[in-house]
Amino acid sequence: MSSPSEPPSGSPPSGSFPNSETRPEPRRWSAADLAGPTLIFVGAFLLAVTIALPTLLVGGFRTIPLSTDFTTVATADDATIFDRCSLETRSARTVGADLVRQQRVVAVQPSDEHRVTVQAGTSIQAEALRIGDREVDPGDPRPGVDSDDPAQPCNDATVNAIKDRVTLDRKNALPRLAARGASEIQYDSGQAAVLVPDRRGVTYLLPFDTEPADREYFDTVTRTTVPLTYDGDTEVLGRDVARFRAEIPDTDLAREALGRPVGTNVSITRPGSWFGIGDTRRPLTANLHHRSSWDLAVDTRTGTIVDATITVDEVYRFPDGTQGVPADFELPHLRATFTYDEDTQTRMTDLASDLATPILIWGRLVPIGTAVLGVVALLAGLVLTNPAWLPARFRRPRDAETVGGQPE
């Protein structure tokens, strides 16, 4: 019989149980272990953002906004205009005038991510007339006023008005007329708009990042495309801008520009005496000729026209071959030089700043910040992952190796 202190017969000796062996526990990642890989991931992400922002996000800021809506006002002092009321008098009459040219450009439908349709309404109004030595209001009665036709009074202050509607490519600001695009110009609210299917060139704005190089300009009065030449650099309210110039050559509107407003009278037929050519009663016909020049100051970063000088010279002339008339005869219809007023210059430079600010922030400042942070995070992550990269004085002392749980 075995002693109580002895192990039972057949039992394994003490310390020989399988479960009594020491097994290593799984090692858990500490915050210090995760810091390095996390910083590497964050750094790589920030560098990817640095590359993506200028190419993906900022590219959307360099297109004509779908919220486009701006108004410009240009004035002309000491202009000369034809007095329409003199059509009912015995002789033609021109008067001095102070004029205001107002234009509103607004985005309308159809528009999408690739194109935008803009509608521009332009009017020239007389603020004051000078007849002889007197200054009169344009709406005041004067010789030739026809009270029997109140719908179209000759003493209306409106000298000219045009409504233009055109679909543009949002990137290059050029007409994009295919696939539901349109270009139509209306010269009279009582007449249908005139379609312009072959329209080319810029008119109301230029593309973002405009290069100082020649391009094309479309004139809505003559419906012709002319060169728009780069004319050097200048400043407008302290802002660096590029100058462009367009010359619209002499154009016979009676032949080339159909659909003119009724009140403009692209042709006038009156006795020679009415034109001041002798005392003949023989009817003569004179056609309206238009020529103009456009000096535009453009903010090249946004394509915004921040200032403009517009010179208009419209006169009536007799067709070549008309007998009994002086070769140099001209009856002025509209002679004026319009310049943006100070409020318009301020509004347009502010608009250019508003359009450029997101590009500056997301295209330059933010990428610089993300690049710096990304590089710092990446380097910090690599150092934490590989402590051997640190100088010796910055390393943590390594834990002493143990054997059997005791220091070696």
Side-chain angles (χ1 to χ4, degrees):
M1 192 172 177
S2 60
S3 170
S5 61
E6 295 179 2
S9 175
S11 297
S14 177
S16 63
F17 289 99
N19 293 336
S20 66
E21 297 179 0
T22 302
R23 294 183 176 180
E25 294 184 0
R27 185 173 182 273
R28 296 182 179 179
W29 288 76
S30 65
D33 295 328
L34 293 173
T38 300
L39 286 174
I40 291 175
F41 172 79
V42 171
F45 174 76
L46 290 174
L47 292 178
V49 169
T50 301
I51 298 173
L53 280 176
T55 56
L56 299 179
L57 178 62
V58 177
F61 294 136
R62 290 192 173 98
T63 58
I64 300 174
L66 298 179
S67 58
T68 295
D69 188 350
F70 59 85
T71 300
T72 61
V73 176
T75 59
D77 299 330
D78 298 325
T80 299
I81 63 173
F82 170 69
D83 186 358
R84 293 194 300 268
C85 292
S86 67
L87 289 170
E88 304 301 325
T89 64
R90 299 182 61 180
S91 61
R93 180 172 64 238
T94 60
V95 296
D98 295 333
L99 305 178
V100 175
R101 181 184 185 273
Q102 183 168 324
Q103 182 178 84
R104 184 187 179 190
V105 179
V106 59
V108 297
Q109 294 297 330
S111 297
D112 54 37
E113 60 177 322
H114 301 296
R115 61 181 181 169
V116 59
T117 301
V118 296
Q119 182 169 287
T122 308
S123 66
I124 297 176
Q125 303 271 338
E127 286 195 324
L129 300 180
R130 286 177 291 278
I131 302 178
D133 296 331
R134 297 181 301 116
E135 182 169 297
V136 301
D137 187 271
D140 289 347
R142 54 183 181 270
V145 173
D146 184 4
S147 58
D148 296 332
D149 187 13
Q152 294 182 345
C154 65
N155 59 342
D156 188 347
T158 300
V159 178
N160 203 345
I162 295 177
K163 184 169 73 173
D164 181 25
R165 182 184 178 96
V166 59
T167 303
L168 304 175
D169 187 291
R170 293 183 63 191
K171 289 187 177 180
N172 58 30
L174 296 176
R176 185 169 178 170
L177 307 183
R180 294 179 59 217
S183 174
E184 52 188 32
I185 305 173
Q186 190 172 19
Y187 300 96
D188 184 357
S189 59
Q191 297 180 0
V194 180
L195 300 180
V196 190
D198 58 347
R199 180 169 181 162
R200 307 187 324 274
V202 299
T203 303
Y204 307 107
L205 43 80
L206 279 71
F208 280 73
D209 299 323
T210 294
E211 295 183 358
D214 296 351
R215 57 193 66 234
E216 290 183 321
Y217 178 84
F218 178 81
D219 177 55
T220 56
V221 176
T222 61
R223 300 202 297 275
T224 56
T225 300
V226 299
L228 182 63
T229 57
Y230 172 65
D231 196 28
D233 298 324
T234 186
E235 281 190 6
V236 175
L237 299 182
R239 193 179 191 89
D240 293 333
V241 295
R243 295 180 56 194
F244 291 88
R245 182 175 178 83
E247 294 279 355
I248 314 301
D250 186 279
T251 304
D252 186 342
L253 297 181
R255 292 184 177 182
E256 304 295 337
L258 303 177
R260 291 280 296 183
V262 173
T264 300
N265 298 297
V266 294
S267 294
I268 293 179
T269 301
R270 288 290 186 277
S273 58
W274 185 86
F275 288 102
I277 302 174
D279 58 358
T280 177
R281 295 186 177 182
R282 177 169 64 96
L284 299 174
T285 299
N287 294 340
L288 182 60
H289 288 246
H290 172 96
R291 65 180 177 184
S292 59
S293 64
W294 297 72
D295 289 287
L296 308 178
V298 180
D299 174 66
T300 56
R301 289 180 296 176
T302 63
T304 305
I305 300 173
V306 299
D307 194 15
T309 299
I310 308 162
T311 301
V312 181
D313 187 5
E314 290 186 347
V315 297
Y316 289 101
R317 294 198 195 104
F318 296 112
D320 294 339
T322 303
Q323 296 182 352
V325 299
D328 58 350
F329 173 86
E330 290 183 344
L331 173 62
H333 173 262
L334 170 60
R335 279 178 166 163
T337 299
F338 297 93
T339 55
Y340 279 4
D341 61 16
E342 291 185 6
D343 288 343
T344 297
Q345 292 178 8
T346 301
R347 286 198 306 271
M348 298 309 289
T349 51
D350 289 345
L351 174 60
S353 297
D354 292 342
L355 293 175
T357 296
I359 298 175
L360 175 63
I361 293 175
W362 296 101
R364 182 177 300 177
L365 300 181
V366 173
I368 290 175
T370 55
V372 172
L373 292 177
V375 170
V376 171
L378 193 62
L379 292 176
L382 292 173
V383 168
L384 290 177
T385 305
N386 300 277
W389 289 12
L390 283 172
R393 66 176 182 273
F394 294 116
R395 298 181 198 164
R396 287 187 311 170
R398 297 182 61 185
D399 293 336
E401 296 183 4
T402 59
V403 178
Q406 298 297 327
E408 189 176 10

